Each structure stands twice: as structure tokens, then as C-alpha cells.
Amino acid sequence: MLLPARSAALAAIILVAIGVVASAALYGAEKPITVALVYDGMTREEREPLRAYLTKAMGRRVNLVAPDFYEETVTHLEDGSYDFACLGALMYIRAHAKYGVVPLVRRSSDLQYQAVFITGAGSSIYELRDLKGKRFAFNDINSTSTRLYAYRELVQAGINPESDLQLRYSGSHVATAALVESGVVDAGVVDETILHSMISEGKLDGNKVRVFYTSRPFVSYVYVARKDVPEAERERFARALLALKEGKDDRVLKILRAKQFIVANDQDYASIRQIAKELKMF
């Protein structure tokens, strides 16, 4: 039988332990959810309708970030800094294999996604073969649309990007478009939806650039969760995007450059895996 003093001490220890556990649980519940988007040149204020929508849908504060590089997004998914993210197909297949990220949803347009090759309005470039010897900008070295798939299209057109182009990596779709507009490079390849968004919002002069080649369709972006996000929270996030409707949620859909979202699954990326293996990028 414990003495009264020892009983009181034990009770105090138990209460402290319960308090610590309760505090940790409360912290976990109150910790903001972080969602990483593809960098698109938008400001925090321009993304606010999306942040507010997701905060309401998730039942706690949501922070939106737009990292400069795809690798940064994957690193933060792995270390727990980010909970959800939009990844290009190439980064998705790598992150799925290495860190077990879970595919959730994608835009309906991402099943038939296309990248566009752009040049200056007065340029003499009209087809891929005209790029030989020219200054050319890819986006991120880990980009699906503006590296993996664009690289493959160039090779199939008889262009060796490493030896036939004065090659550079801009870091983002927005930066590539700006380099072409200003004449720093002769041509580049960008996300078709970001290009149209920049022109419609006056962030790029559509009279100074033109599309001279559009890639063949491929499967692209996917919204994922890091593997240790609880299933209930994954489902809540997926439902929030799946519920978006044109005519009702246009302000949010515009930020996401989407018309609607559909369920994503890993099997849809089999062709991208094969291309990445062929080009030794996986």
C-alpha cells in the first residue's frame, strides 16, 4: 500500500503526463495545414480566395506556399513541413517511389495536358527544327512539361538539347515567359495554362510572344498528401477540391487554373514512368 505522500506524488505525475499529451493533441489539431502550389506568379492576396476556401473546408487554418523549385516541395513533404502539394508527374513518380506520397486528385485537364513552345512575336522560329543554335530556356530541371516531355519532343524532332541549343534553366514557367518576352532567350517552353493566365491578367504581353509548337497530350499535375497525413484529413482535402463547381466557385477555380477536379490514381502515371526511364530521368 502506498503512503499518502507517495500517492499524491504519483497522482501529480500522472496529471502532468495527461496534460502533456492533451497539449500535444491540441497543438496538432491547431497546427496550420500547409499546401504547396506550383509557382505561377500570383501574390498572396491573389490566392486568398483559395486559402479561405480550404481553411473552411478543412476546419482549421490553411497556409499556401509556392516554392521556387520542385525539389524544395518534395523535401518539405518528406520532412513534414508540407501536408499537401501539387506535383508535376515526374516529381510525383519520384516522390511516390522514395517517400510514399499519396495521389489524391487532379484537374480534369491534366489527363490531356500540353506544354507550349514560345518565341518572340517577330522571331524566325516556326518549328522545333528552327531552334538549332538558338538560346533556349527550360523551366525547372525536374519539370514534367518543360523538361521531361519537352526534352523528348525536341529529341524526336532531331534536336539534341545538350549540344544543339544554348541551354539554360529559368527556374519557373513565369521566368521562362519573361525571358522570351524580353528577348534574353530566343525561345522557351512553358505550362500552357500558366501562359494563358499570365496574358489574361496582363502579366505578360501577348503581342510580344507567340506559340510556335504545342506538345502532344500527356498526364501531368497531381495533388498529393505526404504519407503520414491521416486518411480522414486526406479525404477532407480531396473532397474540397472535388466539390468545386464552375459558376459557383469560379474565383477559386481561376487560381487553380481548373474547370473541375477528378480522382487521381498511381496507374495513370505509368507512361510517364516509362518515358522517364527511357531518358534516364527516373
Side-chain angles (χ1 to χ4, degrees):
M1 181 174 179
L2 291 171
L3 295 175
R6 293 180 63 191
S7 297
L10 180 59
I13 292 170
I14 292 172
L15 286 172
V16 169
I18 291 172
V20 169
V21 171
S23 296
L26 182 61
Y27 173 77
E30 292 181 346
K31 182 184 175 185
I33 294 167
T34 301
V35 181
L37 305 174
V38 174
Y39 181 74
D40 55 11
M42 284 190 178
T43 64
R44 180 180 298 181
E45 290 72 22
E46 288 171 326
R47 294 193 187 101
E48 178 56 24
L50 172 60
R51 193 202 66 77
Y53 173 80
L54 289 175
T55 292
K56 182 178 180 180
M58 299 302 292
R60 72 178 199 261
R61 182 175 178 81
V62 170
N63 292 331
L64 301 179
V65 296
D68 292 329
F69 301 103
Y70 293 121
E71 271 194 10
E72 182 181 344
T73 299
V74 173
T75 296
H76 289 312
L77 282 170
E78 191 273 333
D79 69 19
S81 302
Y82 296 169
D83 303 293
F84 301 95
C86 179
L87 297 179
L90 178 58
M91 288 309 294
Y92 161 69
I93 61 174
R94 289 174 176 169
H96 180 71
K98 192 170 183 180
Y99 302 120
V101 300
V102 182
L104 300 175
V105 297
R106 72 167 74 81
R107 299 172 301 183
S108 56
S109 57
D110 287 327
L111 282 173
Q112 293 287 310
Y113 189 85
Q114 293 177 295
V116 290
F117 289 73
I118 60 173
T119 188
S123 166
S124 61
I125 298 171
Y126 289 95
E127 56 185 352
L128 294 180
R129 287 180 296 179
D130 295 336
L131 289 171
K132 279 197 175 183
K134 297 295 193 295
R135 298 167 300 169
F136 186 85
F138 281 125
N139 172 11
D140 189 297
I141 196 168
N142 296 303
S143 170
T144 307
S145 57
T146 63
R147 174 80 195 306
L148 182 144
Y149 220 83
Y151 196 104
R152 185 178 189 237
E153 296 261 341
L154 287 165
V155 169
Q156 291 180 338
I159 300 285
N160 182 331
E162 308 299 334
S163 60
D164 293 337
L165 303 176
Q166 298 177 48
L167 196 59
R168 68 187 293 171
Y169 291 90
S170 73
S172 74
H173 303 279
V174 174
T176 294
L179 289 174
V180 174
E181 180 187 33
S182 62
V184 173
V185 297
D186 300 302
V189 58
V190 298
D191 175 321
E192 183 179 36
T193 64
I194 290 180
L195 177 70
H196 293 325
S197 176
M198 290 180 67
I199 291 173
S200 67
E201 293 171 10
K203 296 178 179 179
L204 182 72
D205 190 343
N207 295 315
K208 291 184 178 179
V209 299
R210 61 176 169 81
V211 174
F212 69 93
Y213 182 82
T214 301
S215 75
R216 282 161 285 191
F218 56 95
V219 178
S220 187
Y221 295 109
V222 57
Y223 283 78
V224 306
R226 57 182 169 82
K227 66 179 181 180
D228 52 348
V229 169
E231 186 173 351
E233 198 161 86
R234 289 184 220 158
E235 291 178 357
R236 193 175 299 119
F237 181 82
R239 284 199 304 269
L241 294 183
L242 291 170
L244 291 167
K245 302 295 181 187
E246 282 191 289
K248 180 172 76 74
D249 304 299
D250 291 343
R251 291 180 69 202
V252 174
L253 287 167
K254 182 180 179 181
I255 296 166
L256 295 165
R257 305 182 309 284
K259 292 186 176 181
Q260 71 173 116
F261 281 82
I262 58 176
V263 175
N265 63 75
D266 182 67
Q267 289 77 14
D268 292 331
Y269 293 87
S271 62
I272 294 294
R273 279 192 183 87
Q274 185 58 40
I275 294 170
K277 288 176 181 177
E278 289 173 6
L279 297 177
K280 296 180 173 57
M281 294 182 188
F282 182 39

